[in-house]
Amino acid sequence: MNEIVSFKEVSFSKGDKVILQAINWSVHQNEHWGILGLNGSGKTSLLSIMSGFHFPSTGEVSVLGNLFGKTNLPELRKEIGFVSSSLERFAEYFNNETIERVVVSGKFASFGIYEQVKKEEWEKADSLLESLQLTYLKGKPYRLLSEGEKRKVIIARALMSEPKMLVLDEPCSGLDILSRERFLQSLDGIMKDECHIVYVSHHIEELVQGISHVLLLKDGKVIAAGPKEQVVSDELLSDTFGIPVHVHWKESRPWLEIRS
């Protein structure tokens, strides 16, 4: 499967409000994408469609080889991991659980465990905790973790079902600098496991080396889409953000300055 995501002339409206307009975008094998844009640019709606929670108003969408309108969307969603600060609204379901149980619940896409867990599923959870350098927290209740630790546990939970695509919606929101950098470092191993990442952020410095491509959105339209080094430019970002900016690079990672 060469094409992971395909949007062809996709538009999306709520009532009289047009949120996405004629979006043409594709994600191919071995590509990891960042999505940048101001609040209200259409990022959340794009993710909702891509993750199978909304149908486009017009146009054609295909995700992981599944053409919308001809596929079982609940089954498709099991192949897509989703990590967002919005999941904190379910924290009450996690707070008294150990981190191992939080991670294993991702196998069943449930908040809490209501099915028999097999030995190999516990072993899978242990392996994920090890890969994300969280083994020192085994046995601890979720509520006692730092924000950075919680975010990594939620990622492990999302990976429990071995998704083919991982959607990260502003995953560093609310993290301090140290927690953010540790989190970003943990993405390297995920990218090497043939899991395609779509990473949404307001901060271009979070587009680490492994993020190969970038999509820029403004007012529901695509400003640019392509290889990171080509798209993350002074001109295109100034247009996207509506303010003059300058980009400088360090180890394939962009950093932003506001021009006076």
Side-chain angles (χ1 to χ4, degrees), residues 93 97 101 104-105 108-117:
Y93 295 98
E97 298 274 21
R101 289 181 62 83
V104 166
S105 71
F108 311 105
S110 61
F111 298 100
I113 299 175
Y114 308 100
E115 301 181 40
Q116 185 68 35
V117 180

Side-chain angles (χ1 to χ4, degrees), residues 177-195:
I177 292 175
L178 178 59
S179 297
R180 183 187 74 167
E181 292 305 306
R182 286 177 173 172
F183 169 78
L184 292 173
Q185 290 170 12
S186 72
L187 296 181
D188 288 340
I190 298 171
M191 294 179 189
K192 293 174 183 175
D193 286 339
E194 298 185 0
C195 179

Side-chain angles (χ1 to χ4, degrees), residues 188-240:
D188 288 340
I190 298 171
M191 294 179 189
K192 293 174 183 175
D193 286 339
E194 298 185 0
C195 179
H196 296 83
I197 284 181
V198 177
Y199 190 106
V200 175
S201 180
H202 288 297
H203 306 285
I204 71 168
E205 66 273 14
E206 293 176 14
L207 302 179
V208 292
Q209 186 172 7
I211 301 293
S212 58
H213 290 67
V214 171
L215 171 71
L216 301 180
L217 283 177
K218 181 180 181 181
D219 298 329
K221 299 178 182 178
V222 174
I223 296 297
K228 180 171 65 176
E229 288 77 8
Q230 297 177 18
V231 171
V232 181
S233 67
D234 293 4
E235 181 180 2
L236 290 172
L237 287 187
S238 295
D239 185 7
T240 301

Side-chain angles (χ1 to χ4, degrees), residues 122-141:
W122 289 116
E123 291 173 348
K124 171 69 174 178
D126 286 344
S127 177
L128 287 169
L129 291 173
E130 182 178 359
S131 68
L132 291 169
Q133 300 178 336
L134 291 170
T135 52
Y136 69 99
L137 291 172
K138 284 184 65 175
K140 284 194 174 183

Side-chain angles (χ1 to χ4, degrees), residues 25-44:
W25 174 52
S26 59
V27 176
H28 294 89
Q29 193 76 31
N30 300 320
E31 294 178 353
H32 301 288
W33 280 75
I35 301 179
L36 300 173
L38 296 175
N39 289 337
S41 61
K43 301 189 302 298
T44 298

Side-chain angles (χ1 to χ4, degrees), residues 16-81:
D16 295 331
K17 185 177 181 180
V18 178
I19 299 172
L20 295 174
Q21 303 179 55
I23 302 294
N24 289 291
W25 174 52
S26 59
V27 176
H28 294 89
Q29 193 76 31
N30 300 320
E31 294 178 353
H32 301 288
W33 280 75
I35 301 179
L36 300 173
L38 296 175
N39 289 337
S41 61
K43 301 189 302 298
T44 298
S45 294
L46 186 76
L47 295 185
S48 294
I49 293 172
M50 183 176 63
S51 301
F53 290 104
H54 287 101
F55 265 89
S57 301
T58 60
E60 181 181 287
V61 176
S62 176
V63 177
L64 299 173
N66 297 274
L67 182 64
F68 281 29
K70 297 183 178 181
T71 192
N72 184 322
L73 290 182
E75 288 300 313
L76 172 62
R77 287 197 288 268
K78 293 179 181 179
E79 299 184 6
I80 303 171

Side-chain angles (χ1 to χ4, degrees), residues 82 84-97 102 110-112 142 154 157:
F82 183 67
S84 171
S85 57
S86 65
L87 291 176
E88 288 301 312
R89 69 183 185 275
F90 300 111
E92 62 181 284
Y93 295 98
F94 298 145
N95 280 338
N96 293 319
E97 298 274 21
V102 172
S110 61
F111 298 100
Y142 179 82
I154 294 301
R157 180 181 183 275

